[in-house]
Amino acid sequence: MSHARAIHLSRRGLLAAGGAVGLGVALAACGDDKGEAKDGGSGSAAAKSGPWTFKDDRGKTVKLDKVPANIVAFTGVGAALYDYGVQVKGVFGPTTTTGGKPDVQAGDMDVSKVTVLGNAWGQFNVEKYAALAPDVLITTMFDGAGTLWYVPEQSTKQIAELAPSVGISVYDRQITQPLQRMWDLAESLGADTKAAKVTDAKKRFEAAAARLRAAAKAKPHLKVMAGSASDQLFYVSGTRLSIDLEYFKALGVNFVEPPESAKKQGGGWYESLSWENVDKYQADIIMMDDRSSAIQPADITKPTWKKLPAVKAGQVIARSPEPILSYDKCVPLLTSLAEALEKAKKVS
């Protein structure tokens, strides 16, 4: 992990490291929040001027006199809300690349129109945050303890004093659940969820899911491996805990599953392999972490990688371990895997 040492391999720091496939980290000690409330906000596009209430996935209810106007969010959350027509004022998390272009997690959001409070793990400018006069902070959660994603532990108290927070869980559940939660949240913030653009995206998602299910059923013998690359290690994710992989598996996709004992160091999310042992698991298709913190397939120079049957066959596709939670952005995730299964040959 290239930058994991810089963040002292902290519990949540490992999650943010590029090699942490499926966002794997030792958060296993945290409880599961599967049983928490899933009811959405009571607000709607027709009630923009009225009071606003939303119960998040920690079971916490935020009540405000009016619908939030000054919203600050994790970049991926801001991108999802943008797809629903809700503009945030500030973001934190991977927003721009070193070349100044929008990060993959920024989606279609115009990054020049938001205040970036921090672009990397541990970065969060509290002074800038206060200056935005935030009404609410919204982010995701990758554990069952309600830990707010990309909110620095050392600044949590300061940040919490400035505005209430909303957490959407993306931990140990299928992607359809947080997708619905983000839909509910966007609607409460004034999004028109009956707009053709929004409803069409949901229909396309459902069609893509049906296509993936059919592709998986037609080729159950094909093995898919979810991986991520760092300079020193290759990470293989199991399906448990990751919202995308849990859903793909439910649709019938046959995944490589590292044993639980091998995933202990990765908090139950992933197994770490040296590049010499990258061929430990046989796979016909490899899905690779598309985040900017991970080494991308085209830039992997390790000889052992190039010898993998799936790599030699050109059967490597991108994977988004931190999906943008709008139906529009999740359609390609399903489609690309379906296409890969439809076209792939057995090579393992």
Side-chain angles (χ1 to χ4, degrees):
M1 294 182 205
S2 59
H3 67 270
R5 289 185 295 275
I7 50 182
H8 308 296
L9 295 176
S10 67
R11 194 174 67 163
R12 288 197 296 152
L14 273 169
L15 266 161
V21 180
L23 304 171
V25 67
L27 292 172
C30 302
D32 191 342
D33 58 352
K34 276 184 171 180
E36 290 180 354
K38 293 173 185 167
D39 49 324
S42 59
S44 68
K48 285 185 179 181
S49 60
W52 184 77
T53 300
F54 191 85
K55 189 173 186 179
D56 76 358
D57 291 338
R58 297 169 296 181
K60 294 185 177 182
T61 299
V62 177
K63 296 180 179 180
L64 299 175
D65 293 337
K66 59 181 180 179
V67 176
N70 295 342
I71 302 169
V72 173
F74 172 68
T75 302
V77 171
L81 292 175
Y82 180 87
D83 286 350
Y84 289 118
V86 178
Q87 179 68 52
V88 302
K89 293 291 180 68
V91 294
F92 53 95
T95 308
T96 58
T97 64
T98 51
K101 294 182 179 180
D103 188 273
V104 64
Q105 294 189 61
D108 294 331
M109 185 170 53
D110 186 344
V111 297
S112 69
K113 292 184 178 179
V114 294
T115 298
V116 181
L117 304 177
N119 198 54
W121 186 259
Q123 294 179 0
F124 193 112
N125 191 314
V126 180
E127 290 73 23
K128 277 189 178 181
Y129 179 56
L132 289 173
D135 294 320
V136 68
L137 178 148
I138 307 171
T139 187
T140 48
M141 301 180 298
F142 283 90
D143 63 18
T147 307
L148 298 177
W149 188 231
Y150 263 80
V151 174
E153 293 176 39
Q154 68 273 17
S155 307
T156 299
K157 187 176 180 181
Q158 271 183 292
I159 292 168
E161 289 172 348
L162 292 168
S165 60
V166 167
I168 299 298
S169 180
V170 287
Y171 175 73
D172 197 13
R173 59 200 57 213
Q174 295 179 26
I175 198 170
T176 45
Q177 289 177 266
L179 269 173
Q180 184 60 51
R181 294 293 284 138
M182 192 62 71
W183 171 291
D184 294 338
L185 177 59
E187 185 175 52
S188 78
L189 293 169
D192 182 2
T193 54
K194 294 181 180 179
K197 178 183 176 182
V198 175
T199 57
D200 286 351
K202 193 171 186 179
K203 289 176 184 176
R204 286 189 289 109
F205 177 88
E206 292 165 351
R211 179 181 176 181
L212 179 54
R213 183 184 288 108
K217 186 176 181 180
K219 294 186 177 179
H221 57 292
L222 293 183
K223 274 279 188 182
V224 180
M225 180 167 67
S228 183
S230 71
D231 185 54
Q232 299 298 321
L233 297 169
F234 183 82
Y235 306 85
V236 180
S237 179
T239 57
R240 191 176 71 84
L241 306 183
S242 297
I243 58 172
D244 60 331
L245 302 184
E246 284 199 9
Y247 185 54
F248 299 157
K249 183 179 181 179
L251 292 176
V253 178
N254 185 12
F255 279 98
V256 167
E257 294 281 7
E260 291 302 311
S261 58
K263 296 188 294 178
K264 281 185 178 179
Q265 193 174 12
W269 295 78
Y270 64 90
E271 177 181 1
S272 305
L273 298 175
S274 66
W275 282 103
E276 289 74 18
N277 296 314
V278 73
D279 60 352
K280 179 177 179 179
Y281 298 106
Q282 299 296 307
D284 303 292
I285 297 169
I286 302 176
M287 303 175 70
M288 290 295 289
D289 187 342
D290 69 353
R291 292 174 297 169
S292 54
S293 53
I295 299 176
Q296 298 306 299
D299 299 319
I300 299 175
T301 58
K302 308 291 184 182
T304 48
W305 163 259
K306 294 181 178 180
K307 289 179 182 178
L308 293 177
V311 176
K312 291 169 71 175
Q315 295 176 177
V316 178
I317 63 172
R319 177 199 169 209
S320 299
E322 294 183 63
I324 293 173
L325 295 171
S326 72
Y327 287 100
D328 179 70
K329 291 299 178 292
C330 287
V331 169
L333 310 184
L334 295 163
T335 302
S336 64
L337 182 53
E339 287 180 348
L341 285 168
E342 290 163 358
K343 297 176 182 178
K345 297 179 180 179
K346 184 71 178 175
V347 294
S348 63

